Amino acid sequence: MPQALYTFLEEYDFSGKTIIPFCPHGGSGFSRTESTIAELQPDAVVSENGLTISRNDVVGSAQQVAGWAESLGL
């Protein structure tokens, strides 16, 4: 994760909230992102319905992102 995200998650309390991760990646997918978020926010729920998109596919991913967001039912 970028350092800015560590700072953000250390500074704010998401207790009782659900965090749904999404990110572009260079080949590693989420890697340890989900577990790292869970460590930094132990009283939050980290959803397993996150989305990763390869950096090579970001340009043409608008429809995929929209479909994923709709599937969350928020």
Side-chain angles (χ1 to χ4, degrees):
M1 290 190 320
Q3 188 60 44
L5 192 50
Y6 280 92
T7 301
F8 179 79
L9 291 170
E10 290 168 351
E11 204 166 301
Y12 293 95
D13 181 7
F14 288 91
S15 295
K17 306 291 184 192
T18 299
I19 299 171
I20 306 170
F22 62 96
C23 70
H25 64 85
S28 60
F30 276 129
S31 191
R32 290 183 10 95
T33 299
E34 295 160 311
S35 62
T36 301
I37 293 171
E39 289 171 16
L40 294 170
Q41 292 290 330
D43 296 322
V45 173
V46 180
S47 174
E48 294 181 6
N49 293 325
L51 176 68
T52 62
I53 298 175
S54 170
R55 66 178 170 217
N56 300 324
D57 299 327
V58 169
V59 172
S61 66
Q63 200 168 28
Q64 180 185 3
V65 172
W68 167 73
E70 287 179 23
S71 76
L72 296 173
L74 303 174

